[in-house]
Amino acid sequence: MSSLGRLFGRGKEKDPSPEEAIQKLRETEKILIKKQEFLEQKIQQELQTAKKHGTKNKRAALQALRRKKRLEQQLAQTDGTLSTLEYQREAIENATTNTEVLRTMGLAARAMSKAHQDMDINKVDELMSDITEQQDIAQQISDAISRPVGFGDDVDEDELLEELEELEQEKLNQELLNMEEDKEAAPVKLPNVPSTHLPTSPASKADEEKEMKQLVDWVSGRVP
C-alpha cells in the first residue's frame, strides 16, 4: 500500500491514466476557485461589520476582525493549494505531450528505417553518377543538333560585310544616275507662237518698229 493509500485509508487502487488525472485536477481546481470566491465575500462582509460597529461596539468589531483574519488565512491556504494543483496539472500535461511527441518521433524513425532498408548508399551513388552522365550526353546531343551544318561556314565575315557595302554603294550610284536622266529628259516649256501674222509686203518704218516690238515680246514670252 502506498503512503497516500495509508494516509487516506484506501487499499491498492489502479493507477489513473494521465487524462484521468488531468480531469480530476481540473474538477478540484473548480471547487477551490468557488471556495476562493466564497471566502472573499465573507472577508468583505466581516470587514463591513467591523466598520459598522467601529468604536460604538468595540467587542463586536474585534470579533468581526478576528473572523476576517481566519478567513484570510483560509484564503491564503486555498490559494496555495490551487497553485499546487495547477502546477501538477501543467506538469502532467507537459509530460503527456512529451510522451506523445517521443512516440510519434519513434514511429517516424521506424518508418524511415523501413523506407531505407532496401536502399544501398553505394547503389544510390552509382545511380546519381549515371544520371549525371546521361544528362551530359543529352546536353552534348542538343549542342550538336543545334549547331549549323552546311557549306561555306569558313567564309570570312569581314569579306561579306565589304561585299555588302559595295552593293549598297552600287545601288546608290544607280539611283543618282536615274535622277540625272529624269532631269535631262524633262521637256522645256517654250512661249506660245504669236497669233498675229507677219506682213508679206514692205511696210513703213512704224510698221517695222511695231513688228520688231512684237517679235521681241514673243521671244521674251510676253505675248501668249
Side-chain angles (χ1 to χ4, degrees), residues 161-177:
L161 292 175
E162 183 178 355
E163 183 177 355
L164 179 61
E165 291 178 359
E166 292 178 356
L167 293 175
E168 292 178 349
Q169 185 63 39
E170 182 180 349
K171 181 180 179 182
L172 179 61
N173 293 337
Q174 184 64 36
E175 291 177 353
L176 293 175
L177 180 60

Side-chain angles (χ1 to χ4, degrees), residues 4-22:
L4 290 177
R6 291 193 300 270
L7 178 61
F8 294 101
R10 295 179 180 178
K12 186 176 181 180
E13 294 181 356
K14 181 181 177 180
D15 294 335
S17 64
E19 292 77 12
E20 293 174 347
I22 291 173

Side-chain angles (χ1 to χ4, degrees), residues 102-154:
L102 291 175
R103 189 180 70 84
T104 303
M105 292 175 66
L107 292 175
R110 290 195 296 273
M112 186 178 294
S113 176
K114 184 178 180 180
H116 292 163
Q117 65 182 2
D118 296 331
M119 292 185 183
D120 186 353
I121 186 62
N122 295 326
K123 293 182 179 180
V124 173
D125 291 338
E126 293 177 0
L127 177 61
M128 295 306 298
S129 298
D130 292 341
I131 293 175
T132 303
E133 182 179 355
Q134 293 303 320
Q135 288 178 343
D136 293 339
I137 294 174
Q139 184 63 41
Q140 293 175 7
I141 293 174
S142 299
D143 294 341
I145 293 175
S146 61
R147 188 181 304 116
V149 178
F151 299 100
D153 292 342
D154 56 346

Side-chain angles (χ1 to χ4, degrees), residues 10 16-32 85 88-89 92:
R10 295 179 180 178
S17 64
E19 292 77 12
E20 293 174 347
I22 291 173
Q23 181 62 29
K24 189 64 177 178
L25 288 170
R26 290 185 184 277
E27 294 174 357
T28 307
E29 288 175 12
K30 291 180 180 179
I31 295 173
L32 292 177
L85 293 178
Q88 284 184 322
R89 177 177 52 80
I92 295 175

Side-chain angles (χ1 to χ4, degrees), residues 187-212:
V188 178
K189 186 177 182 182
L190 298 176
N192 297 329
V193 177
S195 60
T196 57
H197 299 283
L198 295 176
T200 58
S201 60
S204 63
K205 184 176 181 180
D207 294 333
E208 292 178 355
E209 291 177 355
K210 182 179 179 181
E211 292 175 355
M212 183 61 67

